[in-house]
Amino acid sequence: MDYRLIHFNCARPTGEFTYENEFVRVFLSILPRIFGDADSFDGVHWHTHGLRQPDGHWRDLYQAFPYPRGTGAPDVCTMAGWRSLEDMRSFVYSGKTHPAGMRRLQEQLDRSQGPGFVMWWAPRGERFTMEDGWQRLVHLRANGSSNYAFSLDQPIVRPQVA
């Protein structure tokens, strides 16, 4: 059985999720370039995106607005399937657009809920929903790194091909 790395990450902006918020304006302006780079990056197999509202409901990222005022900022989430941990790190830290764009936004993130990034190894072809990714992140926050959900600081080695 062949395994691929799945990652799920969330970024919750500080302040209201409106076009007046600098994080929202900048983030939405750089996403098309980041998504284009991901589409042409050999090590990523797929990527999907969404917003998780504070009440637990999911919204499509491309239909984020109008976002209901007064409901609190959503978690802006991405999930992707990668060929390897090395490929994921290369894109995140050395890619054309991702590193500079995310560095620019770091100071405008609410990190009060704990880690916003989780990974796990999954058999090739296994499918996941955004809610599945959210549950893995919640598990990591509560229990720390494990085979079920791990962090970049404590990565788990790819399972051996059977």
Side-chain angles (χ1 to χ4, degrees), residues 7-28:
H7 103 262
F8 178 83
N9 71 286
C10 293
R12 180 182 298 157
T14 55
E16 288 287 324
F17 196 73
T18 66
Y19 285 120
E20 291 80 36
N21 184 321
E22 181 185 4
F23 174 94
V24 173
R25 278 195 320 273
V26 171
F27 188 75
L28 293 178

Side-chain angles (χ1 to χ4, degrees), residues 109-162:
L109 294 176
D110 174 357
R111 298 187 187 280
S112 64
Q113 301 298 310
F117 191 97
V118 66
M119 299 177 292
W120 65 95
W121 292 105
R124 186 181 189 96
E126 191 170 339
R127 303 282 184 247
F128 299 94
T129 66
M130 295 297 276
E131 184 62 24
D132 294 330
W134 179 261
Q135 293 305 318
R136 299 259 182 164
L137 181 60
V138 168
H139 186 273
L140 175 70
R141 288 173 175 172
N143 303 295
S145 284
S146 67
N147 286 339
Y148 180 75
F150 57 90
S151 69
L152 273 172
D153 294 334
Q154 296 178 307
I156 301 296
V157 175
R158 177 193 306 261
Q160 295 298 315
V161 176

Side-chain angles (χ1 to χ4, degrees), residues 32-48:
R33 290 181 302 226
I34 292 173
F35 292 171
D37 288 347
D39 288 340
S40 65
F41 187 79
D42 189 43
V44 66
H45 297 290
W46 53 267
H47 57 100
T48 189

Side-chain angles (χ1 to χ4, degrees), residues 31-141:
L31 280 183
R33 290 181 302 226
I34 292 173
F35 292 171
D37 288 347
D39 288 340
S40 65
F41 187 79
D42 189 43
V44 66
H45 297 290
W46 53 267
H47 57 100
T48 189
H49 317 276
L51 296 178
R52 187 178 190 279
Q53 296 177 175
D55 65 4
H57 286 93
W58 287 93
R59 295 172 70 105
D60 186 286
L61 181 60
Y62 298 105
Q63 298 173 343
F65 294 98
Y67 187 80
R69 286 189 180 265
T71 60
D75 286 286
V76 182
C77 303
T78 296
M79 187 163 49
W82 300 87
R83 182 174 51 202
S84 69
L85 181 59
E86 294 74 22
D87 284 328
M88 191 274 304
R89 281 185 170 147
S90 176
F91 182 83
V92 170
Y93 297 116
S94 304
K96 292 186 264 183
T97 54
H98 190 273
M102 294 303 106
R103 225 178 354 264
R104 182 174 173 191
L105 299 171
Q106 289 302 311
E107 298 302 315
Q108 298 169 38
L109 294 176
D110 174 357
R111 298 187 187 280
S112 64
Q113 301 298 310
F117 191 97
V118 66
M119 299 177 292
W120 65 95
W121 292 105
R124 186 181 189 96
E126 191 170 339
R127 303 282 184 247
F128 299 94
T129 66
M130 295 297 276
E131 184 62 24
D132 294 330
W134 179 261
Q135 293 305 318
R136 299 259 182 164
L137 181 60
V138 168
H139 186 273
L140 175 70
R141 288 173 175 172

